[in-house]
Structure formats: structure tokens, C-alpha cells
């Protein structure tokens, strides 16, 4: 398993719409394992393939508490089937927008259809942090970032800060 470099705002890749995974094979399982390794190293609780530069509809999540056994979950070609009218607010972060957190309101519950790492179709109902994290990661598959759910003023400030930081990094590179 390999830890991959993370794609950081304002990289245009983060705005790309990811393509469906056509076949769940060993290559896809290897990518999922690399994503989990990258997510644990960061550390984070979720990761979409585009965050390591791969525009494929694949995401990983692990919501195990510190000290508990790892509980990795792989979701391939996830589709939200239903969303509750009830909404919940959670303070979200993003490994592609390091050290920035903001409250985001989303449907409190969803039902989801997806393929697991063996390529079997599954359906689940999710609420709480799992519902929030799945929606955050599925947004990534559609080129949407959590800052798109906050005010335009705050979003523009964040994008400006990260654009400046990227330019500084670029000017220091040989
Ligand atoms: O997709 C990502 O960028 C990962 C992101 C997932 C997420 C966090 C919060 C709400 C919705 C989705 C993160 O993992 S940010 C880091 C984070 O939340 C965290 C890091 C260490 C310990 C616990 C949480
Ligand atoms: Zn994110």
C-alpha cells in the first residue's frame, strides 16, 4: 500500500466530475487500499479518489474511534437513493482544504446504493456522521467542495488564501 500526495485547493482537478468504475478488479482494490493508507496517514475519516488525482467514482471511509479497531469501508459508484427532509449541521473539514473548518447543513439521513470491494451491489441507510461523510465524499465525485455550501464571502476568502499559498509554493520550487 502506498501513501499518495493529496490534491489541494485550488487545483482544478477538484472540480472534475469523476467517471464510474467499470469493473471492480484487483487494480480498483489496490487503489482503495492506497486511498485508505493515505486517509489514515493524513489523518482523516474519508477520502474520494479525485483527492489523489484519480477521477473515478470511488470513496473510502473509516469512522472508528481512536483506540478502536480500524473499520474501513469502500464505496464504489455510490448513488444516493433518498434523502430525509430533516437536516443536520456538522462542522466539516476537507483534506484538500487543510486546516479550514465550517458548519455545513445537509440532509440528516440518506439511503445509498453502491458496489462493495468485491463488486457486490449493496444498499444501506445512513444517518449521523456516516450520512454527512458520505455526502461530503459524493460531492467530491461531482466536483463539489464543502465550501460550496457556505457563504460566497467565506468561500472567496478561503479560495483566495489557498490560491496565494499555491503561488508561494510554486515560486519556491526550482
Ligand atoms: O474528504 C475529505 O476531505 C476528508 C474529510 C471528511 C469529512 C470530515 C468531516 C465531515 C465530513 C467529511 C476529513 O476527514 S477532514 C479531517 C477530519 O475530519 C478528522 C481528522 C482527524 C480525526 C478526526 C477527523
Ligand atoms: Zn473533502
Amino acid at each position: 500500500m502506498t501513501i499518495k500526495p493529496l490534491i489541494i485547493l485550488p487545483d482544478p482537478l477538484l472540480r472534475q466530475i469523476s467517471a464510474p468504475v467499470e469493473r471492480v478488479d484487483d487494480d480498483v482494490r489496490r487503489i482503495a487500499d492506497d486511498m485508505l493508507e493515505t486517509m489514515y496517514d493524513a489523518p482523516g475519516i474519508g477520502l474520494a479518489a479525485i483527492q489523489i488525482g484519480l477521477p473515478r467514482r470511488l470513496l473510502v471511509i473509516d469512522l472508528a474511534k481512536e483506540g478502536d479497531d480500524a473499520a474501513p469501508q469502500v464505496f464504489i459508484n455510490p448513488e444516493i437513493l433518498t434523502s430525509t427532509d430533516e437536516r443536520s449541521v456538522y462542522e466539516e473539514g476537507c483534506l484538500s482544504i487543510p486546516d479550514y473548518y465550517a458548519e455545513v447543513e445537509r440532509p440528516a439521513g440518506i439511503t445509498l446504493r453502491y458496489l462493495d470491494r468485491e463488486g457486490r451491489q449493496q444498499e444501506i441507510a445512513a444517518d449521523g456522521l456516516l450520512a454527512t461523510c458520505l455526502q461530503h465524499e459524493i460531492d467530491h465525485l461531482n466536483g463539489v467542495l464543502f465550501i460550496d455550501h457556505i457563504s460566497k464571502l467565506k468561500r472567496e476568502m478561503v479560495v483566495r488564501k489557498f490560491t496565494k499559498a499555491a503561488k508561494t509554493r510554486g515560486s519556491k520550487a526550482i
Side-chain angles (χ1 to χ4, degrees):
M1 286 195 270
T2 314
I3 296 167
K4 301 285 187 183
L6 286 164
I7 302 295
I8 303 293
L9 190 75
D11 193 314
L13 265 179
L14 291 171
R15 293 307 190 175
Q16 196 164 320
I17 296 179
S18 296
V21 172
E22 288 189 352
R23 200 158 52 98
V24 181
D25 56 15
D26 285 346
D27 284 346
V28 170
R29 283 184 278 273
R30 202 166 304 120
I31 292 168
D33 288 341
D34 288 348
M35 288 169 61
L36 284 163
E37 193 76 354
T38 304
M39 179 189 77
Y40 291 132
D41 177 68
I45 55 174
L47 195 73
I50 194 64
Q51 294 179 277
I52 57 164
L54 299 174
R56 291 289 170 274
R57 300 189 82 81
L58 166 63
L59 63 93
V60 298
I61 289 179
D62 190 335
L63 299 181
K65 295 200 176 72
E66 218 180 306
D68 287 356
D69 288 345
Q73 300 183 74
V74 177
F75 299 88
I76 299 163
N77 298 340
E79 283 172 73
I80 295 176
L81 302 176
T82 62
S83 303
T84 58
D85 289 335
E86 189 197 343
R87 319 268 294 176
S88 68
V89 176
Y90 195 88
E91 184 166 80
E92 299 191 15
C94 181
L95 297 177
S96 296
I97 312 175
D99 302 322
Y100 181 75
Y101 298 88
E103 287 192 339
V104 175
E105 188 186 301
R106 298 181 187 270
I110 57 168
T111 57
L112 187 84
R113 180 184 295 151
Y114 66 99
L115 302 178
D116 67 17
R117 59 179 293 138
E118 307 308 329
R120 294 174 301 223
Q121 189 171 288
Q122 306 280 357
E123 280 185 24
I124 54 160
D127 60 11
L129 182 55
L130 180 58
T132 295
C133 197
L134 280 166
Q135 291 173 81
H136 177 116
E137 302 309 334
I138 291 168
D139 269 358
H140 274 301
L141 307 186
N142 295 321
V144 175
L145 299 171
F146 85 100
I147 54 171
D148 298 332
H149 298 284
I150 64 176
S151 75
K152 187 168 180 233
L153 181 69
K154 285 185 187 165
R155 179 169 58 255
E156 285 177 352
M157 278 170 55
V158 178
V159 171
R160 213 173 302 126
K161 181 177 158 203
F162 279 80
T163 303
K164 204 170 155 192
K167 281 188 183 139
T168 309
R169 276 198 304 276
S171 69
K172 280 186 183 152
I174 303 167

